[in-house]
Amino acid sequence: MLNLCRFSRAIGLIILSLLHCAPVAAAKLKLDWPCQRTVISRSATTMPPYSFFNAQQELTGYRIEFMQQIFGRLGCKLEILTDSPWKRSLMLLESGDIDVLMNASKSAEREVYALFSNAYEQERVALYVKAGQQQLHSTIRSLQDIAARGLNVGVIRGNYYGEQFATIQKQRDLSKHVIEAIDKPALYFLLLKDRVQLYLDYYPNGVLALRDENLDKKIVLHPMPPLVIGQVHFMFSRQSVSPAFVRRFDQELLRMQQDGSVLKLQQKYQLLP
């Protein structure tokens, strides 16, 4: 007669043996200096002149070339994933699935999971309205004025628009007037269909994007001057990148600023206001 206890133990030993022998996925190697693996980033593909596909269907643009140049100078291979929304990209960076994002604002919330390079550009936001409605909303002189008048304002989900706007978003009676879009085309739709009366976007890239989408006659800048909300940085995942690598990155970033490489890229893509 079969001894069930002995049989069960035998089966258990076989299962444990199989588990022990099964291949285990290797943990992602933490990026250190010098580069010992490919750097993984992410970019949109529909934001000319920052990132877009050219006639040869090659991903290019100011931010693409910037990343290619600086990581090339560091001796690193670079892989750029495409078209996950910005908020999703932040989640991927937080988990360490991607290593770096460009054009990121520094905030206390992000510093929990990210390391930041030195700043390389000022960040500004501006208001945009339908053409012909500039004077209709000309009394708006601040972001607080928008909320006080009960106007709906569009934003892209996950984007940072400065401390003043972040405060507005936290106030329940005002936050209901903030309408989130997943990307720029959705933002344009909200405005042109009168779901929002204004929207916030960065400057000057918001203007350049409208020009490239042939919408610059339908959507225009609001008279309120663009607001400086801080500086932008490269943002690195604490999960997948070492602080030593970021320090070495900053050295190369400074060299690119000093030798005119950044200015040449800005001129090539007509980014200077």
Side-chain angles (χ1 to χ4, degrees):
M1 187 178 214
L2 181 64
N3 188 318
L4 291 178
C5 290
R6 187 175 298 169
F7 180 76
S8 298
R9 282 197 295 270
I11 293 296
L13 288 171
I14 291 170
I15 293 172
L16 287 172
S17 177
L18 290 172
L19 289 173
H20 179 74
C21 296
V24 178
K28 186 176 180 181
L29 188 64
K30 200 159 192 176
L31 189 63
D32 211 331
W33 179 255
C35 268
Q36 72 281 51
R37 65 166 176 81
T38 300
V39 179
I40 308 297
S41 187
R42 167 271 178 201
S43 177
T45 59
T46 56
M47 290 181 63
Y50 295 92
S51 52
F52 60 96
F53 285 116
N54 61 17
Q56 291 73 44
Q57 291 303 297
E58 300 164 330
L59 188 62
T60 189
Y62 170 69
R63 292 175 188 162
I64 304 303
E65 284 203 40
F66 200 140
M67 286 196 290
Q68 289 170 339
Q69 282 193 29
I70 193 165
F71 286 109
R73 290 166 69 140
L74 288 165
C76 303
K77 292 182 179 179
L78 174 67
E79 180 181 351
I80 302 176
L81 308 178
T82 56
D83 273 348
S84 56
W86 178 248
K87 192 167 185 178
R88 171 66 176 159
S89 297
L90 293 175
M91 294 171 62
L92 292 172
L93 185 122
E94 183 174 3
S95 65
D97 290 305
I98 61 177
D99 301 308
V100 60
L101 291 169
M102 191 177 176
N103 204 58
S105 303
K106 185 188 290 189
S107 68
E109 179 184 358
R110 290 177 178 178
E111 285 187 291
V112 172
Y113 62 84
L115 300 165
F116 289 85
S117 74
N118 291 333
Y120 63 90
E121 286 174 4
Q122 274 192 336
E123 184 166 42
R124 289 175 287 176
V125 295
L127 284 172
Y128 296 78
V129 296
K130 287 173 71 172
Q133 294 191 353
Q134 300 96 307
Q135 294 308 310
L136 180 62
H137 305 303
S138 61
T139 57
I140 293 172
R141 293 288 180 265
S142 71
L143 298 182
Q144 193 67 36
D145 289 342
I146 302 172
R149 288 185 55 184
L151 300 173
N152 288 337
V153 58
V155 298
I156 292 179
R157 185 179 304 142
N159 279 2
Y160 176 74
Y161 299 98
E163 283 301 318
Q164 184 184 5
F165 191 73
T167 301
I168 291 172
Q169 286 183 295
K170 293 174 184 176
Q171 299 175 39
R172 183 173 299 179
D173 57 331
L174 302 180
S175 63
K176 64 185 179 183
H177 295 290
V178 178
I179 311 299
E180 293 186 335
I182 192 170
D183 54 20
K184 284 185 187 291
L187 203 57
Y188 305 151
F189 176 86
L190 287 174
L191 183 73
L192 294 174
K193 294 296 182 180
D194 297 317
R195 307 282 180 84
V196 299
Q197 288 73 54
L198 317 95
Y199 71 74
L200 273 173
D201 199 1
Y202 299 106
Y203 177 86
N205 58 341
V207 176
L208 298 168
L210 289 170
R211 182 195 66 190
D212 288 308
E213 293 294 327
N214 295 316
L215 288 172
D216 52 331
K217 297 294 189 292
K218 295 182 178 180
I219 302 174
V220 297
L221 274 174
H222 183 273
M224 186 180 83
L227 304 172
V228 175
I229 62 169
Q231 308 288 327
V232 291
H233 313 254
F234 285 83
M235 180 167 60
F236 296 88
S237 172
R238 288 186 182 272
Q239 290 291 328
S240 66
V241 180
S242 72
F245 182 86
V246 179
R247 289 194 294 270
R248 180 63 184 85
F249 181 92
D250 276 336
Q251 292 173 11
E252 204 58 49
L253 178 59
L254 180 60
R255 290 192 183 99
M256 285 188 67
Q257 291 169 318
Q258 291 176 335
D259 67 19
S261 298
V262 175
L263 180 61
K264 287 178 183 177
L265 283 172
Q266 291 171 335
Q267 292 172 334
K268 176 179 179 179
Y269 288 100
Q270 302 177 0
L271 296 182
L272 300 177

